Amino acid sequence: MAPNYDKDPVFGGNGLRRTVFAVALLNLAYGVVEFAIALRIGSVSLFADSIDFFEDTSVNLLIFFALAWSLKMRARIGMALAGILLVPALATILTAIHKLQSPTPPDPFALGLTGLGALSVNLFCAILLARYRAHGGSLTRAAFLSARNDAIANVAIIAVGLVTAYLWQSAWPDLIVGIGIACMNADAAREVWHAALGEHRAAQG
């Protein structure tokens, strides 16, 4: 059954659309900051996370426009979003391969502080989206999973900064977390795909 955004009190007054648009802008702004720092200090994990911020921007903008469409169209967009969620994973793998050619550890303090800022942004976005995750099907599920996964990844990035500074001055902690972020995005893509497939079958029936 298609969710009724006009009659549902949670969605009334275009609250969901305003929320995903605000989340998209927050992700875009911090993605630019994180990408610049990742390039400056040579961090694979920050690079992966910055690409993830841009992916989250795309996901939430697509949701903003797709909420006005039919259940069948929303299901198709949900399938497309599953593919988008794989983009950061592929970008991270390519970056990790390049990093292995020059395995210099990133600046641990810049890495940790940037991860802390990213965590603040993602926790705020996850809080904004949490009230909608059970109501909006695969689309809002994609947005919530992205924000949740980013928050988990940010904790790992902060840990990498601490480990690199005090325990293991190597490029490997950064590489390991970067690849872990890629795997987490792949799993989120699988979850969104199955949710969207279920919606598509419901629309067909």
Side-chain angles (χ1 to χ4, degrees), residues 22 60 65 69 154 190:
N60 284 281
F65 292 110
W69 299 341
N154 298 149
R190 179 188 60 80

Side-chain angles (χ1 to χ4, degrees), residues 49-106:
D49 201 50
S50 69
I51 298 298
D52 215 13
F53 269 110
F54 295 137
E55 168 261 321
D56 287 353
T57 301
S58 300
V59 166
N60 284 281
L61 285 177
L62 281 172
I63 293 170
F64 177 79
F65 292 110
L67 284 174
W69 299 341
S70 67
L71 176 61
K72 183 182 292 186
M73 183 60 70
R74 286 198 297 272
R76 290 174 180 170
I77 293 298
M79 292 178 184
L81 293 182
I84 291 176
L85 284 166
L86 288 174
V87 173
L90 297 174
T92 301
I93 291 170
L94 293 174
T95 305
I97 292 172
H98 177 73
K99 182 69 174 180
L100 284 172
Q101 299 172 5
S102 178
T104 304

Side-chain angles (χ1 to χ4, degrees), residues 41-46 99 103-113 155-178:
I41 68 174
S43 169
V44 174
S45 60
L46 278 188
K99 182 69 174 180
T104 304
D107 180 341
F109 298 106
L111 180 64
L113 286 174
V155 172
I157 290 171
I158 294 168
V160 167
L162 293 172
V163 169
T164 304
Y166 299 110
L167 297 176
W168 189 15
Q169 294 184 351
S170 166
W172 281 106
D174 183 56
L175 281 166
I176 291 169
V177 168

Side-chain angles (χ1 to χ4, degrees), residues 96-153:
I97 292 172
H98 177 73
K99 182 69 174 180
L100 284 172
Q101 299 172 5
S102 178
T104 304
D107 180 341
F109 298 106
L111 180 64
L113 286 174
T114 307
L116 182 61
L119 176 62
S120 301
V121 172
N122 281 310
L123 284 177
F124 183 64
C125 290
I127 290 169
L128 290 177
L129 292 165
R131 64 191 295 239
Y132 301 112
R133 62 175 172 164
H135 299 267
S138 63
L139 295 181
T140 47
R141 183 173 182 79
F144 177 76
L145 282 173
S146 293
R148 182 206 66 183
N149 287 354
D150 285 352
I152 295 171

